[in-house]
PDB file of all heavy atoms in Angstrom:
ATOM      1  N   PHE A 110      20.602  -2.554  -8.085  1.00  0.00           N
ATOM      2  CA  PHE A 110      19.551  -1.536  -8.233  1.00  0.00           C
ATOM      3  C   PHE A 110      19.349  -0.796  -6.919  1.00  0.00           C
ATOM      4  O   PHE A 110      19.258   0.427  -6.860  1.00  0.00           O
ATOM      5  CB  PHE A 110      18.209  -2.188  -8.617  1.00  0.00           C
ATOM      6  CG  PHE A 110      18.139  -2.689 -10.032  1.00  0.00           C
ATOM      7  CD1 PHE A 110      17.445  -3.850 -10.338  1.00  0.00           C
ATOM      8  CD2 PHE A 110      18.741  -1.995 -11.068  1.00  0.00           C
ATOM      9  CE1 PHE A 110      17.355  -4.322 -11.640  1.00  0.00           C
ATOM     10  CE2 PHE A 110      18.656  -2.457 -12.373  1.00  0.00           C
ATOM     11  CZ  PHE A 110      17.971  -3.625 -12.659  1.00  0.00           C
ATOM     12  N   MET A 111      19.259  -1.583  -5.852  1.00  0.00           N
ATOM     13  CA  MET A 111      18.997  -1.001  -4.535  1.00  0.00           C
ATOM     14  C   MET A 111      20.109  -0.014  -4.150  1.00  0.00           C
ATOM     15  O   MET A 111      19.850   1.086  -3.666  1.00  0.00           O
ATOM     16  CB  MET A 111      18.914  -2.139  -3.521  1.00  0.00           C
ATOM     17  CG  MET A 111      18.374  -1.761  -2.178  1.00  0.00           C
ATOM     18  SD  MET A 111      16.649  -1.280  -2.231  1.00  0.00           S
ATOM     19  CE  MET A 111      15.827  -2.840  -2.102  1.00  0.00           C
ATOM     20  N   GLY A 112      21.344  -0.435  -4.371  1.00  0.00           N
ATOM     21  CA  GLY A 112      22.473   0.431  -4.048  1.00  0.00           C
ATOM     22  C   GLY A 112      22.408   1.746  -4.815  1.00  0.00           C
ATOM     23  O   GLY A 112      22.610   2.831  -4.255  1.00  0.00           O
ATOM     24  N   GLY A 113      22.104   1.672  -6.086  1.00  0.00           N
ATOM     25  CA  GLY A 113      22.006   2.881  -6.899  1.00  0.00           C
ATOM     26  C   GLY A 113      20.904   3.801  -6.381  1.00  0.00           C
ATOM     27  O   GLY A 113      21.089   5.018  -6.281  1.00  0.00           O
ATOM     28  N   MET A 114      19.773   3.223  -6.037  1.00  0.00           N
ATOM     29  CA  MET A 114      18.632   4.043  -5.602  1.00  0.00           C
ATOM     30  C   MET A 114      18.922   4.789  -4.298  1.00  0.00           C
ATOM     31  O   MET A 114      18.584   5.950  -4.160  1.00  0.00           O
ATOM     32  CB  MET A 114      17.390   3.158  -5.414  1.00  0.00           C
ATOM     33  CG  MET A 114      16.840   2.617  -6.726  1.00  0.00           C
ATOM     34  SD  MET A 114      15.596   1.359  -6.449  1.00  0.00           S
ATOM     35  CE  MET A 114      14.156   2.355  -6.166  1.00  0.00           C
ATOM     36  N   VAL A 115      19.512   4.093  -3.328  1.00  0.00           N
ATOM     37  CA  VAL A 115      19.676   4.745  -2.022  1.00  0.00           C
ATOM     38  C   VAL A 115      20.952   5.576  -1.927  1.00  0.00           C
ATOM     39  O   VAL A 115      21.096   6.401  -1.021  1.00  0.00           O
ATOM     40  CB  VAL A 115      19.619   3.725  -0.864  1.00  0.00           C
ATOM     41  CG1 VAL A 115      18.266   3.041  -0.835  1.00  0.00           C
ATOM     42  CG2 VAL A 115      20.741   2.707  -0.940  1.00  0.00           C
ATOM     43  N   MET A 116      21.893   5.383  -2.875  1.00  0.00           N
ATOM     44  CA  MET A 116      23.144   6.142  -2.770  1.00  0.00           C
ATOM     45  C   MET A 116      23.361   7.135  -3.915  1.00  0.00           C
ATOM     46  O   MET A 116      24.018   8.144  -3.731  1.00  0.00           O
ATOM     47  CB  MET A 116      24.329   5.173  -2.711  1.00  0.00           C
ATOM     48  CG  MET A 116      24.350   4.329  -1.436  1.00  0.00           C
ATOM     49  SD  MET A 116      25.856   3.381  -1.241  1.00  0.00           S
ATOM     50  CE  MET A 116      25.720   2.180  -2.521  1.00  0.00           C
ATOM     51  N   LYS A 117      22.813   6.798  -5.113  1.00  0.00           N
ATOM     52  CA  LYS A 117      23.129   7.655  -6.261  1.00  0.00           C
ATOM     53  C   LYS A 117      21.896   7.997  -7.107  1.00  0.00           C
ATOM     54  O   LYS A 117      21.881   7.766  -8.327  1.00  0.00           O
ATOM     55  CB  LYS A 117      24.145   6.944  -7.167  1.00  0.00           C
ATOM     56  CG  LYS A 117      25.497   6.732  -6.520  1.00  0.00           C
ATOM     57  CD  LYS A 117      26.351   5.860  -7.429  1.00  0.00           C
ATOM     58  CE  LYS A 117      27.585   5.370  -6.709  1.00  0.00           C
ATOM     59  NZ  LYS A 117      28.220   4.249  -7.376  1.00  0.00           N
ATOM     60  N   PRO A 118      20.852   8.528  -6.481  1.00  0.00           N
ATOM     61  CA  PRO A 118      19.700   8.908  -7.316  1.00  0.00           C
ATOM     62  C   PRO A 118      20.029  10.160  -8.122  1.00  0.00           C
ATOM     63  O   PRO A 118      20.830  10.997  -7.685  1.00  0.00           O
ATOM     64  CB  PRO A 118      18.606   9.193  -6.288  1.00  0.00           C
ATOM     65  CG  PRO A 118      19.344   9.585  -5.052  1.00  0.00           C
ATOM     66  CD  PRO A 118      20.651   8.856  -5.066  1.00  0.00           C
TER      67      PRO A 118
END
Side-chain angles (χ1 to χ4, degrees):
Chain A
F110 287 144
M111 192 66 86
M114 291 169 83
V115 298
M116 293 189 291
K117 295 172 192 163

